[in-house]
């Protein structure tokens, strides 16, 4: 009897951990739709998830498909026309899905987008080409003030996180630089590294993955990034700025709650995988876990934050 009770106690102790690791795999292949072209952070994160999902669900293939345009708005406008079968997921981004409808030149509203899991965050970072005469942030500010409206900075999309960060930097440091929107970070890369633009307001992943080809000047983090210990934070430079872009997955609005929950749990399991953590760290992604249980509160907070930010940036004002 003691042995039986001991066994039952051990089972009760370890059951929650076992259940937490359990994964309900899809019963068919997953179509993973991307709102940006190949080569950017959204694509890289999807590739990481593709690898780990195959390990957890060997019978399932993740088919990554691209429908890029309008800074992601083309895909997000059409996502509710996809089959609501739990086998179609769409990459979604914050603050893009808040900023774009406020600006008013897209065909969707924030409420039309149904996120089911936010999996990581990439901090803002200011970079210049490696061959640039600008060696540090002080040089950048000096050059920007010497020739207002001359320096050009690339970014991923119009009315995107990069665009907002660009405007925020101009205002915070009293400079005027020109924002040059690209379809995505992948499209932007050649122009930055080839010095066709003077630099970029981008994300830590871009800086880390192009080490030696670009020079990071300042990052929007609480503390310096461990892979870029020589790069100061904006907070060190006198501006309370810790921000960037969130990436997650969404589904067509008519997707049943049970399928939303299954996908949320599946992506949480991917995020908690040791290989995923390693891949994310190497690429400069800061993992977060916001599933369907936390979604309403998270979105309410973010929508208010970005709505207030859009007003400060004059988005939506012609």
């Amino acid at each position: 009897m003691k042995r039986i009770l001991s066994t039952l106690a051990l089972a009760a102790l370890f059951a929650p951990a076992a259940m937490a690791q359990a994964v309900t795999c899809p019963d068919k292949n997953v179509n993973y739709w991307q709102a940006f072209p190949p080569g950017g952070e959204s694509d890289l994160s999807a590739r990481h998830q593709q690898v780990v999902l195959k390990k957890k669900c060997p019978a399932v293939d993740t088919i990554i498909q691209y429908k890029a345009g309008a800074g992601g708005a083309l895909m997000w406008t059409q996502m509710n026309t996809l089959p609501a079968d739990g086998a179609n997921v769409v990459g979604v981004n914050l603050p893009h899905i808040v900023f774009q409808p406020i600006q008013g030149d897209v065909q969707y509203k924030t409420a039309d987008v149904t996120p089911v899991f936010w999996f990581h965050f990439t901090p803002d970072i200011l970079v210049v080409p490696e061959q640039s005469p600008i060696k540090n942030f002080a040089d950048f500010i000096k050059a920007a003030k010497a020739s207002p409206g001359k320096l050009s900075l690339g970014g991923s999309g119009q009315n995107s996180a990069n665009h907002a960060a660009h405007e925020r930097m101009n205002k915070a440091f009293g400079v005027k630089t020109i924002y040059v929107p690209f379809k995505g970070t992948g499209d932007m890369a050649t122009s930055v590294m080839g010095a066709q633009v003077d630099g970029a307001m981008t994300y830590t992943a871009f800086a880390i993955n192009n080490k030696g080809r670009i020079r990071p000047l300042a990052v929007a983090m609480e503390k310096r990034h461990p892979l870029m210990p020589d790069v100061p934070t904006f907070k060190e430079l006198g501006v309370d700025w810790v921000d960037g872009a969130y990436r997650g997955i969404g589904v067509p609005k008519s997707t049943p709650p049970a399928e939303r929950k299954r996908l949320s749990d599946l992506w949480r399991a991917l995020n908690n995988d040791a290989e995923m953590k390693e891949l994310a760290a190497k690429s400069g992604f800061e993992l977060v876990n916001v599933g369907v249980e936390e979604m309403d509160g998270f979105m309410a907070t973010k929508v208010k934050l970005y709505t207030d930010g859009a007003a400060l940036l004059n988005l939506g004002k012609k």
Side-chain angles (χ1 to χ4, degrees):
M1 179 61 73
K2 287 183 179 180
R3 185 177 298 171
I4 292 172
L5 291 173
S6 177
T7 300
L8 290 173
L10 285 172
L13 179 64
F14 289 107
M19 289 175 64
Q21 296 299 315
V23 173
T24 302
C25 293
D27 55 10
K28 50 186 161 183
N29 293 340
V30 175
N31 290 308
Y32 195 171
W33 296 88
Q34 297 298 306
F36 295 96
E41 292 86 0
S42 294
D43 184 40
L44 180 60
S45 60
R47 296 292 172 181
H48 289 170
Q49 292 159 353
Q50 183 184 46
V51 169
V52 179
L53 181 54
K54 189 65 176 177
K55 180 175 70 174
K56 292 188 175 297
C57 300
V60 175
D61 289 326
T62 305
I63 304 163
I64 299 176
Q65 305 193 54
Y66 305 92
K67 185 170 285 189
L74 179 63
M75 181 72 252
W76 300 325
T77 299
Q78 300 178 22
M79 66 185 293
N80 286 331
T81 67
L82 296 173
D85 54 3
N88 284 272
V89 299
V90 178
V92 293
N93 299 62
L94 280 172
H96 308 56
I97 62 171
V98 177
F99 281 149
Q100 290 178 351
I102 290 174
Q103 183 67 8
D105 52 3
V106 297
Q107 302 302 309
Y108 75 93
K109 298 179 181 178
T110 301
D112 295 331
V113 178
T114 307
V116 294
F117 197 82
W118 296 100
F119 50 76
H120 77 220
F121 158 77
T122 42
D124 299 321
I125 193 167
L126 175 66
V127 306
V128 294
E130 179 62 28
Q131 65 269 37
S132 172
I134 296 173
K135 304 300 181 184
N136 52 46
F137 189 75
D139 285 352
F140 175 83
I141 293 298
K142 182 179 179 180
K145 289 189 173 182
S147 301
K150 182 179 178 182
L151 290 182
S152 59
L153 297 178
S156 175
Q158 190 79 11
N159 303 325
S160 63
N162 289 166
H163 191 183
H166 171 269
E167 299 302 320
R168 182 176 187 172
M169 183 196 66
N170 276 353
K171 183 174 182 179
F173 292 96
V175 297
K176 183 179 180 181
T177 60
I178 303 301
Y179 181 71
V180 181
F182 291 81
K183 289 183 179 179
T185 304
D187 286 359
M188 181 188 74
T190 301
S191 293
V192 175
M193 291 183 281
Q196 295 165 7
V197 289
D198 295 305
M201 180 58 75
T202 183
Y203 307 117
T204 48
F206 178 79
I208 291 166
N209 292 325
N210 291 286
K211 185 178 180 180
R213 293 182 287 183
I214 59 94
R215 180 181 299 124
L217 302 181
V219 64
M221 297 178 67
E222 287 284 353
K223 297 180 180 179
R224 295 191 180 195
H225 196 289
L227 297 180
M228 296 178 286
D230 297 329
V231 181
T233 66
F234 282 109
K235 293 188 78 168
E236 291 177 68
L237 297 167
V239 174
D240 187 9
W241 179 356
V242 178
D243 204 2
Y246 285 84
R247 293 180 185 83
I249 58 164
V251 294
K253 190 173 287 292
S254 56
T255 302
E259 285 300 311
R260 298 185 195 186
K261 169 69 171 163
R262 182 186 62 75
L263 287 167
S264 175
D265 291 347
L266 177 57
W267 250 254
R268 192 184 297 272
L270 300 184
N271 239 22
N272 288 328
D273 184 87
E275 183 176 4
M276 180 65 74
K277 292 178 180 179
E278 182 180 358
L279 289 168
K282 287 180 178 178
S283 297
F285 298 145
E286 304 291 316
L287 294 179
V288 296
N289 289 287
V290 181
V292 291
E293 298 87 352
E294 305 92 0
M295 191 57 65
D296 288 348
F298 178 85
M299 287 301 297
T301 299
K302 290 299 179 185
V303 167
K304 184 181 186 308
L305 173 67
Y306 295 133
T307 300
D308 292 345
L312 291 174
L313 295 170
N314 294 317
L315 290 182
K317 296 181 180 179
K318 304 300 183 182

mmCIF file of all heavy atoms in Angstrom, residues 163-188:
data_model
loop_
_atom_site.group_PDB
_atom_site.id
_atom_site.type_symbol
_atom_site.label_atom_id
_atom_site.label_comp_id
_atom_site.label_asym_id
_atom_site.label_seq_id
_atom_site.Cartn_x
_atom_site.Cartn_y
_atom_site.Cartn_z
ATOM 1 N N HIS A 163 9.101 52.840 -38.504
ATOM 2 C CA HIS A 163 8.704 54.204 -38.832
ATOM 3 C C HIS A 163 8.432 55.001 -37.554
ATOM 4 O O HIS A 163 8.878 56.153 -37.397
ATOM 5 C CB HIS A 163 7.469 54.173 -39.726
ATOM 6 C CG HIS A 163 7.128 55.498 -40.336
ATOM 7 N ND1 HIS A 163 6.014 55.692 -41.119
ATOM 8 C CD2 HIS A 163 7.739 56.712 -40.266
ATOM 9 C CE1 HIS A 163 5.971 56.950 -41.521
ATOM 10 N NE2 HIS A 163 6.995 57.596 -41.008
ATOM 11 N N ALA A 164 7.704 54.397 -36.636
ATOM 12 C CA ALA A 164 7.395 55.069 -35.374
ATOM 13 C C ALA A 164 8.665 55.359 -34.585
ATOM 14 O O ALA A 164 8.819 56.441 -34.002
ATOM 15 C CB ALA A 164 6.451 54.205 -34.545
ATOM 16 N N ALA A 165 9.586 54.387 -34.567
ATOM 17 C CA ALA A 165 10.847 54.581 -33.844
ATOM 18 C C ALA A 165 11.669 55.702 -34.478
ATOM 19 O O ALA A 165 12.320 56.484 -33.775
ATOM 20 C CB ALA A 165 11.641 53.283 -33.823
ATOM 21 N N HIS A 166 11.649 55.781 -35.795
ATOM 22 C CA HIS A 166 12.366 56.843 -36.501
ATOM 23 C C HIS A 166 11.842 58.219 -36.085
ATOM 24 O O HIS A 166 12.606 59.134 -35.746
ATOM 25 C CB HIS A 166 12.221 56.647 -38.012
ATOM 26 C CG HIS A 166 12.742 57.785 -38.827
ATOM 27 N ND1 HIS A 166 11.952 58.844 -39.212
ATOM 28 C CD2 HIS A 166 13.981 58.034 -39.311
ATOM 29 C CE1 HIS A 166 12.688 59.704 -39.909
ATOM 30 N NE2 HIS A 166 13.917 59.226 -39.981
ATOM 31 N N GLU A 167 10.517 58.370 -36.085
ATOM 32 C CA GLU A 167 9.923 59.642 -35.710
ATOM 33 C C GLU A 167 10.187 59.958 -34.239
ATOM 34 O O GLU A 167 10.430 61.113 -33.857
ATOM 35 C CB GLU A 167 8.421 59.625 -35.991
ATOM 36 C CG GLU A 167 8.059 59.411 -37.449
ATOM 37 C CD GLU A 167 8.654 60.475 -38.360
ATOM 38 O OE1 GLU A 167 8.669 61.652 -37.967
ATOM 39 O OE2 GLU A 167 9.116 60.118 -39.457
ATOM 40 N N ARG A 168 10.171 58.919 -33.423
ATOM 41 C CA ARG A 168 10.428 59.095 -31.997
ATOM 42 C C ARG A 168 11.851 59.597 -31.768
ATOM 43 O O ARG A 168 12.088 60.489 -30.952
ATOM 44 C CB ARG A 168 10.216 57.758 -31.285
ATOM 45 C CG ARG A 168 10.408 57.796 -29.783
ATOM 46 C CD ARG A 168 10.062 56.438 -29.192
ATOM 47 N NE ARG A 168 10.056 56.444 -27.745
ATOM 48 C CZ ARG A 168 9.639 55.421 -27.005
ATOM 49 N NH1 ARG A 168 9.209 54.315 -27.581
ATOM 50 N NH2 ARG A 168 9.666 55.492 -25.692
ATOM 51 N N MET A 169 12.809 59.032 -32.498
ATOM 52 C CA MET A 169 14.198 59.461 -32.356
ATOM 53 C C MET A 169 14.378 60.915 -32.791
ATOM 54 O O MET A 169 15.043 61.709 -32.113
ATOM 55 C CB MET A 169 15.123 58.557 -33.169
ATOM 56 C CG MET A 169 16.599 58.901 -32.995
ATOM 57 S SD MET A 169 17.626 58.163 -34.252
ATOM 58 C CE MET A 169 17.040 59.034 -35.709
ATOM 59 N N ASN A 170 13.789 61.269 -33.942
ATOM 60 C CA ASN A 170 13.890 62.651 -34.417
ATOM 61 C C ASN A 170 13.397 63.633 -33.347
ATOM 62 O O ASN A 170 14.040 64.653 -33.070
ATOM 63 C CB ASN A 170 13.063 62.832 -35.688
ATOM 64 C CG ASN A 170 13.816 62.415 -36.945
ATOM 65 O OD1 ASN A 170 15.007 62.097 -36.899
ATOM 66 N ND2 ASN A 170 13.117 62.401 -38.069
ATOM 67 N N LYS A 171 12.244 63.305 -32.765
ATOM 68 C CA LYS A 171 11.651 64.199 -31.775
ATOM 69 C C LYS A 171 12.473 64.239 -30.493
ATOM 70 O O LYS A 171 12.730 65.306 -29.935
ATOM 71 C CB LYS A 171 10.218 63.753 -31.475
ATOM 72 C CG LYS A 171 9.486 64.671 -30.509
ATOM 73 C CD LYS A 171 8.028 64.261 -30.378
ATOM 74 C CE LYS A 171 7.270 65.211 -29.442
ATOM 75 N NZ LYS A 171 5.840 64.837 -29.329
ATOM 76 N N ALA A 172 12.914 63.077 -30.036
ATOM 77 C CA ALA A 172 13.624 62.990 -28.762
ATOM 78 C C ALA A 172 14.956 63.726 -28.785
ATOM 79 O O ALA A 172 15.361 64.327 -27.781
ATOM 80 C CB ALA A 172 13.845 61.524 -28.389
ATOM 81 N N PHE A 173 15.636 63.680 -29.939
ATOM 82 C CA PHE A 173 16.979 64.264 -30.009
ATOM 83 C C PHE A 173 17.020 65.559 -30.820
ATOM 84 O O PHE A 173 18.094 66.112 -31.057
ATOM 85 C CB PHE A 173 17.963 63.231 -30.569
ATOM 86 C CG PHE A 173 18.200 62.070 -29.644
ATOM 87 C CD1 PHE A 173 17.496 60.887 -29.802
ATOM 88 C CD2 PHE A 173 19.100 62.179 -28.590
ATOM 89 C CE1 PHE A 173 17.694 59.813 -28.945
ATOM 90 C CE2 PHE A 173 19.306 61.112 -27.720
ATOM 91 C CZ PHE A 173 18.599 59.933 -27.897
ATOM 92 N N GLY A 174 15.849 66.050 -31.235
ATOM 93 C CA GLY A 174 15.790 67.334 -31.907
ATOM 94 C C GLY A 174 16.496 67.373 -33.250
ATOM 95 O O GLY A 174 17.142 68.368 -33.596
ATOM 96 N N VAL A 175 16.357 66.290 -34.025
ATOM 97 C CA VAL A 175 16.987 66.232 -35.346
ATOM 98 C C VAL A 175 15.922 65.971 -36.407
ATOM 99 O O VAL A 175 14.780 65.626 -36.093
ATOM 100 C CB VAL A 175 18.077 65.136 -35.412
ATOM 101 C CG1 VAL A 175 19.201 65.444 -34.443
ATOM 102 C CG2 VAL A 175 17.483 63.747 -35.130
ATOM 103 N N LYS A 176 16.308 66.129 -37.664
ATOM 104 C CA LYS A 176 15.419 65.827 -38.777
ATOM 105 C C LYS A 176 16.146 64.920 -39.750
ATOM 106 O O LYS A 176 17.093 65.328 -40.412
ATOM 107 C CB LYS A 176 14.960 67.101 -39.489
ATOM 108 C CG LYS A 176 13.968 66.834 -40.619
ATOM 109 C CD LYS A 176 13.518 68.117 -41.298
ATOM 110 C CE LYS A 176 12.523 67.808 -42.426
ATOM 111 N NZ LYS A 176 12.094 69.048 -43.123
ATOM 112 N N THR A 177 15.729 63.656 -39.797
ATOM 113 C CA THR A 177 16.263 62.710 -40.773
ATOM 114 C C THR A 177 15.108 62.188 -41.614
ATOM 115 O O THR A 177 13.942 62.309 -41.236
ATOM 116 C CB THR A 177 16.990 61.530 -40.086
ATOM 117 O OG1 THR A 177 16.065 60.838 -39.236
ATOM 118 C CG2 THR A 177 18.164 62.025 -39.243
ATOM 119 N N ILE A 178 15.422 61.618 -42.748
ATOM 120 C CA ILE A 178 14.402 61.165 -43.699
ATOM 121 C C ILE A 178 14.187 59.659 -43.554
ATOM 122 O O ILE A 178 15.147 58.882 -43.540
ATOM 123 C CB ILE A 178 14.825 61.485 -45.151
ATOM 124 C CG1 ILE A 178 15.092 62.984 -45.313
ATOM 125 C CG2 ILE A 178 13.757 61.018 -46.129
ATOM 126 C CD1 ILE A 178 13.916 63.861 -44.979
ATOM 127 N N TYR A 179 12.928 59.253 -43.443
ATOM 128 C CA TYR A 179 12.596 57.831 -43.353
ATOM 129 C C TYR A 179 12.336 57.268 -44.745
ATOM 130 O O TYR A 179 11.564 57.830 -45.529
ATOM 131 C CB TYR A 179 11.348 57.623 -42.484
ATOM 132 C CG TYR A 179 10.951 56.169 -42.316
ATOM 133 C CD1 TYR A 179 11.719 55.311 -41.540
ATOM 134 C CD2 TYR A 179 9.820 55.665 -42.947
ATOM 135 C CE1 TYR A 179 11.363 53.977 -41.391
ATOM 136 C CE2 TYR A 179 9.452 54.333 -42.794
ATOM 137 C CZ TYR A 179 10.230 53.489 -42.018
ATOM 138 O OH TYR A 179 9.879 52.167 -41.864
ATOM 139 N N VAL A 180 12.983 56.143 -45.064
ATOM 140 C CA VAL A 180 12.826 55.484 -46.359
ATOM 141 C C VAL A 180 12.222 54.097 -46.112
ATOM 142 O O VAL A 180 12.910 53.191 -45.623
ATOM 143 C CB VAL A 180 14.177 55.337 -47.094
ATOM 144 C CG1 VAL A 180 13.972 54.673 -48.463
ATOM 145 C CG2 VAL A 180 14.849 56.698 -47.247
ATOM 146 N N PRO A 181 10.926 53.906 -46.410
ATOM 147 C CA PRO A 181 10.296 52.607 -46.133
ATOM 148 C C PRO A 181 10.622 51.560 -47.194
ATOM 149 O O PRO A 181 10.627 51.856 -48.387
ATOM 150 C CB PRO A 181 8.807 52.950 -46.149
ATOM 151 C CG PRO A 181 8.690 54.113 -47.074
ATOM 152 C CD PRO A 181 9.966 54.904 -46.928
ATOM 153 N N PHE A 182 10.891 50.352 -46.736
ATOM 154 C CA PHE A 182 11.080 49.201 -47.617
ATOM 155 C C PHE A 182 9.970 48.188 -47.327
ATOM 156 O O PHE A 182 9.288 48.275 -46.303
ATOM 157 C CB PHE A 182 12.450 48.554 -47.381
ATOM 158 C CG PHE A 182 13.614 49.393 -47.842
ATOM 159 C CD1 PHE A 182 14.100 50.430 -47.056
ATOM 160 C CD2 PHE A 182 14.214 49.160 -49.069
ATOM 161 C CE1 PHE A 182 15.171 51.215 -47.475
ATOM 162 C CE2 PHE A 182 15.278 49.932 -49.508
ATOM 163 C CZ PHE A 182 15.758 50.963 -48.710
ATOM 164 N N LYS A 183 9.793 47.223 -48.213
ATOM 165 C CA LYS A 183 8.746 46.216 -48.016
ATOM 166 C C LYS A 183 8.998 45.391 -46.766
ATOM 167 O O LYS A 183 8.068 44.909 -46.127
ATOM 168 C CB LYS A 183 8.659 45.298 -49.235
ATOM 169 C CG LYS A 183 8.069 45.957 -50.474
ATOM 170 C CD LYS A 183 7.952 44.952 -51.610
ATOM 171 C CE LYS A 183 7.336 45.588 -52.855
ATOM 172 N NZ LYS A 183 7.236 44.626 -53.969
ATOM 173 N N GLY A 184 10.246 45.198 -46.427
ATOM 174 C CA GLY A 184 10.615 44.418 -45.255
ATOM 175 C C GLY A 184 12.094 44.580 -44.989
ATOM 176 O O GLY A 184 12.827 45.196 -45.785
ATOM 177 N N THR A 185 12.562 44.020 -43.873
ATOM 178 C CA THR A 185 13.977 44.145 -43.525
ATOM 179 C C THR A 185 14.864 43.477 -44.565
ATOM 180 O O THR A 185 15.950 43.969 -44.869
ATOM 181 C CB THR A 185 14.234 43.523 -42.142
ATOM 182 O OG1 THR A 185 13.364 44.139 -41.186
ATOM 183 C CG2 THR A 185 15.674 43.740 -41.706
ATOM 184 N N GLY A 186 14.402 42.350 -45.119
ATOM 185 C CA GLY A 186 15.189 41.667 -46.141
ATOM 186 C C GLY A 186 15.437 42.555 -47.346
ATOM 187 O O GLY A 186 16.551 42.605 -47.889
ATOM 188 N N ASP A 187 14.408 43.269 -47.787
ATOM 189 C CA ASP A 187 14.559 44.179 -48.920
ATOM 190 C C ASP A 187 15.466 45.353 -48.576
ATOM 191 O O ASP A 187 16.156 45.897 -49.441
ATOM 192 C CB ASP A 187 13.187 44.715 -49.350
ATOM 193 C CG ASP A 187 12.358 43.681 -50.094
ATOM 194 O OD1 ASP A 187 12.870 42.571 -50.284
ATOM 195 O OD2 ASP A 187 11.221 43.979 -50.464
ATOM 196 N N MET A 188 15.450 45.753 -47.325
ATOM 197 C CA MET A 188 16.231 46.906 -46.882
ATOM 198 C C MET A 188 17.722 46.605 -46.776
ATOM 199 O O MET A 188 18.567 47.497 -46.955
ATOM 200 C CB MET A 188 15.708 47.371 -45.521
ATOM 201 C CG MET A 188 16.404 48.575 -44.931
ATOM 202 S SD MET A 188 15.864 48.872 -43.219
ATOM 203 C CE MET A 188 16.725 47.526 -42.376
#
